Amino acid sequence: MANPAVDYAAVFQALPGAAALVTPQLIFADANAEFVRLRGLPREQVIGRFLPEDNTENQSAEPLLLRVLASLRRAAATGQRSDVALQRFDIEDPDQPGVWHERYFNVSNIPVFGADGRVTLLLHRLEDVTELIRAREVALTLQEAMLPAPRPVGRHPAAVRYRPAAEALNVAGDWYDLIDLPGDRIAVAVGDVVGHGLPAACVMGQLRSALTAASLVPEGPARALEVLGQYARTVDGAENTTVATAFIDWESDTITYSSAGHPPPALLRPDGTVEFLDRATDPPLAARPQHGPRTQAVAAFREDSVLVLYTDGLIERRGEDIDTGLARLADSLARHRADDPEALADAVLTDLLPPGDATDDTALVIVRL
Protein backbone atom coordinates (compact mmCIF):
# COMPACT_ATOMS: atom_id res chain seq x y z
CA MET A 1 0.00 0.00 0.00
CA ALA A 2 1.28 3.49 -0.87
CA ASN A 3 2.52 5.59 2.02
CA PRO A 4 0.00 8.48 2.42
CA ALA A 5 2.80 10.68 3.76
CA VAL A 6 4.59 10.64 0.39
CA ASP A 7 3.49 13.24 -2.11
CA TYR A 8 3.92 11.20 -5.29
CA ALA A 9 2.81 14.09 -7.50
CA ALA A 10 5.66 16.19 -6.08
CA VAL A 11 8.09 13.31 -6.59
CA PHE A 12 6.97 13.00 -10.23
CA GLN A 13 7.50 16.71 -10.83
CA ALA A 14 10.95 16.60 -9.22
CA LEU A 15 12.29 13.73 -11.35
CA PRO A 16 15.55 14.87 -13.01
CA GLY A 17 14.65 13.27 -16.33
CA ALA A 18 11.82 14.20 -18.67
CA ALA A 19 8.70 12.12 -17.98
CA ALA A 20 5.03 12.28 -18.94
CA LEU A 21 1.93 10.20 -18.27
CA VAL A 22 0.01 9.24 -21.39
CA THR A 23 -3.38 7.52 -21.57
CA PRO A 24 -3.83 4.41 -23.74
CA GLN A 25 -5.67 6.78 -26.11
CA LEU A 26 -2.39 8.76 -26.43
CA ILE A 27 -3.52 11.85 -24.52
CA PHE A 28 -1.05 13.58 -22.21
CA ALA A 29 -2.44 13.21 -18.68
CA ASP A 30 0.50 14.80 -16.86
CA ALA A 31 4.08 15.90 -17.45
CA ASN A 32 6.89 16.82 -15.13
CA ALA A 33 8.79 20.09 -15.22
CA GLU A 34 11.70 18.72 -17.30
CA PHE A 35 9.36 17.31 -19.95
CA VAL A 36 7.53 20.63 -20.22
CA ARG A 37 10.86 22.44 -20.51
CA LEU A 38 11.97 20.20 -23.36
CA ARG A 39 8.68 20.70 -25.18
CA GLY A 40 9.08 24.47 -24.94
CA LEU A 41 5.33 24.97 -24.31
CA PRO A 42 3.33 26.11 -21.29
CA ARG A 43 2.22 23.14 -19.20
CA GLU A 44 -1.45 23.82 -19.93
CA GLN A 45 -0.74 23.41 -23.65
CA VAL A 46 0.85 20.00 -23.08
CA ILE A 47 -1.72 18.40 -20.77
CA GLY A 48 -4.73 17.12 -22.69
CA ARG A 49 -2.89 17.29 -26.00
CA PHE A 50 -3.26 14.37 -28.43
CA LEU A 51 0.26 12.99 -28.79
CA PRO A 52 0.10 12.37 -32.59
CA GLU A 53 -0.41 16.11 -32.98
CA ASP A 54 2.72 16.82 -30.95
CA ASN A 55 5.87 18.32 -32.51
CA THR A 56 4.12 19.22 -35.76
CA GLU A 57 6.26 22.36 -36.02
CA ASN A 58 9.47 20.28 -35.99
CA GLN A 59 9.96 18.40 -39.25
CA SER A 60 12.89 16.39 -37.86
CA ALA A 61 10.57 14.95 -35.19
CA GLU A 62 8.25 13.13 -37.61
CA PRO A 63 10.24 9.85 -37.96
CA LEU A 64 10.82 9.80 -34.20
CA LEU A 65 7.14 10.49 -33.51
CA LEU A 66 6.07 7.55 -35.65
CA ARG A 67 8.44 5.22 -33.78
CA VAL A 68 7.31 6.58 -30.40
CA LEU A 69 3.64 6.14 -31.30
CA ALA A 70 4.27 2.54 -32.33
CA SER A 71 6.13 1.93 -29.07
CA LEU A 72 3.36 3.47 -26.95
CA ARG A 73 0.69 1.41 -28.68
CA ARG A 74 2.80 -1.72 -28.26
CA ALA A 75 3.20 -1.08 -24.52
CA ALA A 76 -0.53 -0.42 -24.14
CA ALA A 77 -1.50 -3.57 -26.06
CA THR A 78 1.01 -5.98 -24.51
CA GLY A 79 1.36 -4.57 -21.00
CA GLN A 80 5.12 -4.74 -21.41
CA ARG A 81 7.78 -2.06 -21.46
CA SER A 82 8.74 -0.83 -24.92
CA ASP A 83 11.94 1.12 -25.65
CA VAL A 84 12.99 3.27 -28.58
CA ALA A 85 16.77 3.58 -28.34
CA LEU A 86 18.96 6.48 -29.45
CA GLN A 87 16.68 8.80 -31.37
CA ARG A 88 17.55 12.25 -32.69
CA PHE A 89 15.16 15.04 -31.76
CA ASP A 90 16.01 18.69 -32.43
CA ILE A 91 15.09 21.25 -29.75
CA GLU A 92 14.38 24.91 -30.53
CA ASP A 93 16.53 27.36 -28.60
CA PRO A 94 14.19 29.23 -26.20
CA ASP A 95 16.38 32.33 -26.47
CA GLN A 96 16.79 32.21 -30.25
CA PRO A 97 13.52 31.43 -32.07
CA GLY A 98 14.16 29.51 -35.26
CA VAL A 99 17.49 28.12 -34.03
CA TRP A 100 17.41 24.36 -33.43
CA HIS A 101 19.90 22.23 -31.52
CA GLU A 102 20.62 18.58 -32.28
CA ARG A 103 19.74 16.33 -29.33
CA TYR A 104 19.65 12.56 -28.80
CA PHE A 105 17.31 10.60 -26.53
CA ASN A 106 16.54 7.10 -25.38
CA VAL A 107 12.75 6.72 -25.06
CA SER A 108 11.01 4.31 -22.66
CA ASN A 109 7.28 3.58 -22.47
CA ILE A 110 6.28 1.71 -19.32
CA PRO A 111 2.70 0.48 -18.66
CA VAL A 112 0.99 1.47 -15.39
CA PHE A 113 -1.75 -0.93 -14.29
CA GLY A 114 -5.01 -0.16 -12.50
CA ALA A 115 -6.66 -2.23 -9.78
CA ASP A 116 -8.39 -4.35 -12.44
CA GLY A 117 -5.04 -5.31 -13.97
CA ARG A 118 -5.59 -3.29 -17.14
CA VAL A 119 -3.23 -0.64 -18.48
CA THR A 120 -4.53 2.74 -17.35
CA LEU A 121 -1.53 4.93 -18.09
CA LEU A 122 1.83 4.82 -19.83
CA LEU A 123 4.93 6.35 -18.26
CA HIS A 124 6.63 8.04 -21.19
CA ARG A 125 10.27 8.78 -20.27
CA LEU A 126 12.99 10.59 -22.24
CA GLU A 127 16.66 10.09 -21.36
CA ASP A 128 18.86 12.81 -22.83
CA VAL A 129 22.09 11.15 -24.03
CA THR A 130 23.31 14.06 -26.17
CA GLU A 131 26.48 14.67 -24.16
CA LEU A 132 27.31 10.97 -24.20
CA ILE A 133 26.98 10.89 -27.98
CA ARG A 134 29.15 13.99 -28.32
CA ALA A 135 31.79 12.46 -26.05
CA ARG A 136 31.78 9.32 -28.16
CA GLU A 137 32.17 11.34 -31.34
CA VAL A 138 35.17 13.12 -29.83
CA ALA A 139 36.69 9.78 -28.82
CA LEU A 140 36.10 8.27 -32.26
CA THR A 141 37.62 11.31 -33.93
CA LEU A 142 40.67 11.03 -31.68
CA GLN A 143 41.00 7.33 -32.34
CA GLU A 144 40.67 7.74 -36.10
CA ALA A 145 43.26 10.51 -36.03
CA MET A 146 45.73 8.21 -34.29
CA LEU A 147 45.22 5.31 -36.71
CA PRO A 148 47.10 5.49 -40.00
CA ALA A 149 45.02 6.24 -43.08
CA PRO A 150 44.72 3.37 -45.59
CA ARG A 151 47.58 3.65 -48.07
CA PRO A 152 49.71 1.44 -50.30
CA VAL A 153 52.66 -0.15 -48.50
CA GLY A 154 55.53 -0.57 -50.90
CA ARG A 155 54.25 -2.35 -54.00
CA HIS A 156 52.07 -4.84 -52.13
CA PRO A 157 48.27 -4.53 -51.87
CA ALA A 158 46.87 -4.30 -48.36
CA ALA A 159 43.57 -3.48 -46.67
CA VAL A 160 42.78 -2.26 -43.15
CA ARG A 161 39.50 -2.10 -41.27
CA TYR A 162 38.36 -0.81 -37.89
CA ARG A 163 34.90 -1.81 -36.62
CA PRO A 164 33.62 -0.36 -33.31
CA ALA A 165 31.50 -2.49 -31.01
CA ALA A 166 27.75 -2.41 -31.55
CA GLU A 167 26.79 -2.57 -27.89
CA ALA A 168 28.88 0.25 -26.42
CA LEU A 169 29.01 4.00 -26.85
CA ASN A 170 32.70 3.94 -25.96
CA VAL A 171 35.65 3.51 -28.27
CA ALA A 172 38.32 1.04 -27.34
CA GLY A 173 42.09 0.72 -27.62
CA ASP A 174 42.41 -1.45 -30.73
CA TRP A 175 44.92 -0.33 -33.35
CA TYR A 176 46.73 -1.41 -36.50
CA ASP A 177 49.81 -0.21 -38.34
CA LEU A 178 51.79 -0.88 -41.53
CA ILE A 179 55.37 0.36 -41.64
CA ASP A 180 57.75 0.55 -44.57
CA LEU A 181 61.14 -1.01 -43.76
CA PRO A 182 64.43 -0.86 -45.70
CA GLY A 183 64.54 -3.17 -48.71
CA ASP A 184 61.48 -5.03 -49.92
CA ARG A 185 60.10 -5.38 -46.41
CA ILE A 186 57.24 -4.08 -44.29
CA ALA A 187 56.16 -4.48 -40.68
CA VAL A 188 52.51 -5.14 -39.85
CA ALA A 189 51.10 -4.83 -36.33
CA VAL A 190 47.80 -4.96 -34.44
CA GLY A 191 47.27 -4.29 -30.76
CA ASP A 192 44.55 -4.12 -28.13
CA VAL A 193 44.71 -1.93 -25.01
CA VAL A 194 42.65 -3.08 -22.02
CA GLY A 195 39.67 -0.83 -21.36
CA HIS A 196 37.47 1.56 -23.32
CA GLY A 197 36.93 5.25 -23.88
CA LEU A 198 39.33 8.16 -24.15
CA PRO A 199 41.89 6.74 -21.68
CA ALA A 200 42.28 3.55 -23.73
CA ALA A 201 42.41 5.53 -26.98
CA CYS A 202 45.16 7.78 -25.57
CA VAL A 203 47.23 4.79 -24.43
CA MET A 204 46.69 3.20 -27.82
CA GLY A 205 48.10 6.25 -29.58
CA GLN A 206 51.22 6.26 -27.42
CA LEU A 207 51.90 2.54 -27.89
CA ARG A 208 51.27 2.58 -31.63
CA SER A 209 53.74 5.43 -32.11
CA ALA A 210 56.32 3.71 -29.90
CA LEU A 211 56.00 0.42 -31.79
CA THR A 212 56.36 2.22 -35.12
CA ALA A 213 59.67 3.66 -33.95
CA ALA A 214 60.84 0.38 -32.39
CA SER A 215 60.05 -1.53 -35.60
CA LEU A 216 62.69 0.47 -37.45
CA VAL A 217 65.50 -1.18 -35.48
CA PRO A 218 67.19 -3.99 -37.44
CA GLU A 219 66.91 -6.78 -34.86
CA GLY A 220 63.33 -7.85 -35.72
CA PRO A 221 59.86 -8.06 -34.18
CA ALA A 222 60.86 -9.68 -30.87
CA ARG A 223 63.26 -6.85 -30.12
CA ALA A 224 60.61 -4.30 -31.18
CA LEU A 225 58.18 -5.81 -28.65
CA GLU A 226 60.87 -5.85 -25.97
CA VAL A 227 61.37 -2.11 -26.45
CA LEU A 228 57.61 -1.55 -26.49
CA GLY A 229 57.24 -3.59 -23.31
CA GLN A 230 59.80 -1.43 -21.53
CA TYR A 231 57.98 1.68 -22.66
CA ALA A 232 54.59 0.24 -21.60
CA ARG A 233 55.84 0.02 -18.00
CA THR A 234 56.04 3.82 -17.96
CA VAL A 235 52.51 4.42 -19.32
CA ASP A 236 49.52 4.22 -16.98
CA GLY A 237 46.92 1.88 -18.44
CA ALA A 238 49.30 0.14 -20.85
CA GLU A 239 49.78 -3.00 -18.76
CA ASN A 240 48.34 -6.22 -20.23
CA THR A 241 48.08 -4.73 -23.71
CA THR A 242 48.29 -7.46 -26.35
CA VAL A 243 50.21 -6.97 -29.60
CA ALA A 244 51.13 -9.07 -32.61
CA THR A 245 53.70 -7.87 -35.13
CA ALA A 246 55.10 -9.46 -38.27
CA PHE A 247 58.02 -8.43 -40.49
CA ILE A 248 57.39 -9.49 -44.09
CA ASP A 249 60.47 -9.93 -46.29
CA TRP A 250 59.84 -10.45 -50.02
CA GLU A 251 63.53 -10.98 -50.74
CA SER A 252 63.57 -14.18 -48.67
CA ASP A 253 59.80 -14.91 -48.84
CA THR A 254 59.61 -15.15 -45.06
CA ILE A 255 57.49 -13.73 -42.24
CA THR A 256 59.24 -13.16 -38.92
CA TYR A 257 56.67 -12.67 -36.19
CA SER A 258 56.26 -12.21 -32.46
CA SER A 259 53.21 -11.93 -30.22
CA ALA A 260 52.62 -10.43 -26.79
CA GLY A 261 49.58 -12.40 -25.66
CA HIS A 262 47.69 -11.65 -28.89
CA PRO A 263 45.62 -13.98 -31.12
CA PRO A 264 47.89 -15.56 -33.75
CA PRO A 265 48.24 -14.07 -37.25
CA ALA A 266 46.71 -16.19 -40.00
CA LEU A 267 48.66 -17.20 -43.09
CA LEU A 268 46.31 -18.12 -45.95
CA ARG A 269 48.09 -20.18 -48.59
CA PRO A 270 47.08 -20.26 -52.28
CA ASP A 271 45.54 -23.75 -51.91
CA GLY A 272 43.12 -22.47 -49.23
CA THR A 273 44.86 -23.95 -46.20
CA VAL A 274 45.31 -21.62 -43.22
CA GLU A 275 48.21 -21.72 -40.77
CA PHE A 276 47.95 -19.79 -37.51
CA LEU A 277 51.35 -18.40 -36.60
CA ASP A 278 51.49 -19.37 -32.93
CA ARG A 279 55.11 -20.45 -32.34
CA ALA A 280 56.27 -17.17 -30.78
CA THR A 281 53.76 -16.09 -28.13
CA ASP A 282 54.77 -14.44 -24.85
CA PRO A 283 52.70 -12.70 -22.14
CA PRO A 284 51.08 -9.29 -22.79
CA LEU A 285 53.03 -6.07 -22.33
CA ALA A 286 54.12 -5.29 -18.77
CA ALA A 287 52.39 -8.45 -17.51
CA ARG A 288 55.56 -10.07 -16.16
CA PRO A 289 56.94 -8.99 -12.78
CA GLN A 290 60.30 -8.38 -14.47
CA HIS A 291 61.07 -7.28 -17.99
CA GLY A 292 62.59 -10.02 -20.16
CA PRO A 293 63.42 -10.99 -23.74
CA ARG A 294 60.72 -12.11 -26.18
CA THR A 295 60.66 -14.86 -28.78
CA GLN A 296 60.15 -14.73 -32.51
CA ALA A 297 59.61 -17.36 -35.20
CA VAL A 298 59.88 -17.53 -38.98
CA ALA A 299 57.34 -18.85 -41.50
CA ALA A 300 57.97 -19.20 -45.22
CA PHE A 301 55.34 -18.13 -47.72
CA ARG A 302 54.64 -18.61 -51.42
CA GLU A 303 53.59 -15.88 -53.80
CA ASP A 304 49.86 -15.04 -53.64
CA SER A 305 49.55 -16.09 -50.01
CA VAL A 306 47.72 -13.71 -47.65
CA LEU A 307 48.72 -12.57 -44.16
CA VAL A 308 45.92 -11.57 -41.79
CA LEU A 309 46.34 -9.81 -38.43
CA TYR A 310 43.33 -8.95 -36.27
CA THR A 311 42.19 -8.18 -32.73
CA ASP A 312 40.15 -10.53 -30.56
CA GLY A 313 36.84 -8.81 -31.34
CA LEU A 314 36.89 -10.60 -34.71
CA ILE A 315 36.97 -14.13 -33.33
CA GLU A 316 35.91 -14.18 -29.67
CA ARG A 317 32.33 -14.71 -28.52
CA ARG A 318 30.95 -14.97 -24.99
CA GLY A 319 30.67 -18.58 -23.86
CA GLU A 320 32.54 -19.90 -26.91
CA ASP A 321 35.98 -21.50 -27.11
CA ILE A 322 38.51 -19.42 -29.04
CA ASP A 323 39.25 -22.38 -31.33
CA THR A 324 35.70 -22.08 -32.68
CA GLY A 325 36.35 -18.48 -33.64
CA LEU A 326 39.68 -19.34 -35.26
CA ALA A 327 38.00 -22.10 -37.28
CA ARG A 328 35.33 -19.64 -38.39
CA LEU A 329 38.04 -17.22 -39.54
CA ALA A 330 39.94 -19.95 -41.41
CA ASP A 331 36.77 -21.05 -43.20
CA SER A 332 35.97 -17.50 -44.30
CA LEU A 333 39.50 -16.89 -45.56
CA ALA A 334 39.54 -20.14 -47.52
CA ARG A 335 36.18 -19.44 -49.18
CA HIS A 336 37.20 -15.93 -50.26
CA ARG A 337 40.89 -16.59 -50.95
CA ALA A 338 40.68 -15.37 -54.57
CA ASP A 339 39.46 -11.91 -53.51
CA ASP A 340 41.73 -8.88 -53.49
CA PRO A 341 42.56 -7.54 -49.99
CA GLU A 342 39.75 -4.94 -49.94
CA ALA A 343 37.07 -7.43 -50.95
CA LEU A 344 38.53 -10.09 -48.64
CA ALA A 345 38.44 -7.70 -45.66
CA ASP A 346 34.78 -6.90 -46.32
CA ALA A 347 33.91 -10.58 -46.74
CA VAL A 348 35.62 -11.59 -43.49
CA LEU A 349 33.83 -8.87 -41.52
CA THR A 350 30.50 -9.86 -43.07
CA ASP A 351 31.04 -13.53 -42.24
CA LEU A 352 32.31 -13.04 -38.69
CA LEU A 353 30.60 -9.83 -37.57
CA PRO A 354 26.98 -9.65 -38.73
CA PRO A 355 25.52 -6.10 -38.44
CA GLY A 356 24.78 -5.20 -34.83
CA ASP A 357 26.48 -8.36 -33.53
CA ALA A 358 29.94 -7.00 -32.64
CA THR A 359 30.45 -7.04 -28.86
CA ASP A 360 34.03 -5.70 -28.98
CA ASP A 361 35.99 -3.38 -31.22
CA THR A 362 37.83 -5.05 -34.09
CA ALA A 363 40.93 -4.10 -36.05
CA LEU A 364 41.85 -6.08 -39.17
CA VAL A 365 44.84 -5.96 -41.56
CA ILE A 366 45.13 -8.04 -44.72
CA VAL A 367 48.25 -8.12 -46.93
CA ARG A 368 48.53 -10.01 -50.22
CA LEU A 369 52.04 -11.54 -50.31
Side-chain angles (χ1 to χ4, degrees):
M1 180 178 294
N3 186 340
V6 177
D7 186 344
Y8 288 98
V11 172
F12 177 70
Q13 288 299 323
L15 289 174
L21 293 174
V22 181
T23 70
Q25 294 75 37
L26 306 184
I27 303 293
F28 282 113
D30 201 355
N32 73 353
E34 180 62 13
F35 190 92
V36 171
R37 187 189 69 80
L38 285 178
R39 285 297 300 115
L41 295 172
R43 188 173 185 277
E44 57 270 18
Q45 292 186 26
V46 175
I47 307 308
R49 188 179 181 125
F50 185 42
L51 196 148
E53 296 176 350
D54 205 20
N55 306 308
T56 54
E57 73 281 7
N58 183 355
Q59 294 181 355
S60 75
E62 183 176 352
L64 170 60
L65 182 59
L66 293 175
R67 287 188 286 271
V68 169
L69 290 176
S71 175
L72 282 162
R73 290 176 176 132
R74 185 162 53 249
T78 65
Q80 297 180 349
R81 172 175 174 153
S82 178
D83 296 322
V84 185
L86 201 57
Q87 301 299 314
R88 175 179 170 180
F89 177 67
D90 293 349
I91 301 292
E92 188 173 17
D93 191 320
D95 300 321
Q96 303 180 70
V99 176
W100 297 80
H101 298 289
E102 185 177 297
R103 304 290 287 275
Y104 291 88
F105 295 89
N106 290 329
V107 183
S108 299
N109 296 306
I110 305 166
V112 179
F113 299 93
D116 60 359
R118 302 174 70 176
V119 176
T120 58
L121 289 170
L122 297 162
L123 177 60
H124 177 59
R125 180 174 175 271
L126 305 180
E127 179 189 9
D128 190 342
V129 294
T130 304
E131 294 307 315
L132 185 61
I133 295 299
R134 288 174 179 165
R136 182 187 188 240
E137 288 172 354
V138 169
L140 283 172
T141 300
L142 174 63
Q143 186 170 38
E144 290 173 0
M146 290 190 292
L147 291 175
R151 60 181 176 81
V153 180
R155 60 183 178 83
H156 307 286
V160 296
R161 295 290 186 274
Y162 175 78
R163 175 78 62 86
E167 289 184 351
L169 292 179
N170 287 324
V171 298
D174 293 29
W175 89 84
Y176 59 81
D177 207 354
L178 296 97
I179 307 153
D180 283 310
L181 299 177
D184 196 6
R185 299 188 304 143
I186 67 170
V188 186
V190 293
D192 187 358
V193 175
V194 175
H196 293 84
L198 284 172
C202 291
V203 172
M204 174 271 287
Q206 294 177 76
L207 294 182
R208 187 191 73 80
S209 298
L211 182 57
T212 299
S215 296
L216 298 176
V217 301
E219 290 87 348
R223 179 57 180 157
L225 289 186
E226 288 176 27
V227 172
L228 184 65
Q230 288 178 312
Y231 177 68
R233 292 178 182 273
T234 71
V235 178
D236 290 340
E239 62 275 2
N240 294 314
T241 293
T242 67
V243 188
T245 184
F247 286 22
I248 307 170
D249 188 336
W250 276 273
E251 294 177 356
S252 61
D253 290 341
T254 59
I255 300 167
T256 306
Y257 63 93
S258 184
S259 173
H262 201 82
L267 178 59
L268 170 65
R269 302 192 184 279
D271 63 0
T273 58
V274 175
E275 177 187 356
F276 287 102
L277 306 182
D278 57 3
R279 293 183 290 113
T281 299
D282 292 308
L285 302 181
R288 293 167 166 160
Q290 301 294 327
H291 181 72
R294 291 185 176 271
T295 59
Q296 63 185 36
V298 179
F301 66 85
R302 293 173 51 194
E303 184 179 359
D304 212 29
S305 296
V306 175
L307 181 64
V308 181
L309 280 75
Y310 51 92
T311 54
D312 57 9
L314 184 70
I315 59 168
E316 292 187 355
R317 301 292 180 273
R318 295 190 183 107
E320 181 180 271
D321 188 88
I322 190 174
D323 288 340
T324 302
L326 292 174
R328 189 162 46 236
L329 172 59
D331 175 70
S332 177
L333 291 173
R335 286 188 290 107
H336 303 289
R337 63 183 180 274
D339 291 352
D340 63 68
E342 293 290 340
L344 181 57
D346 290 337
V348 167
L349 290 179
T350 298
D351 287 349
L352 274 68
L353 298 179
D357 193 43
T359 58
D360 193 8
D361 288 30
T362 296
L364 174 66
V365 181
I366 292 179
V367 181
R368 176 71 70 176
L369 303 176

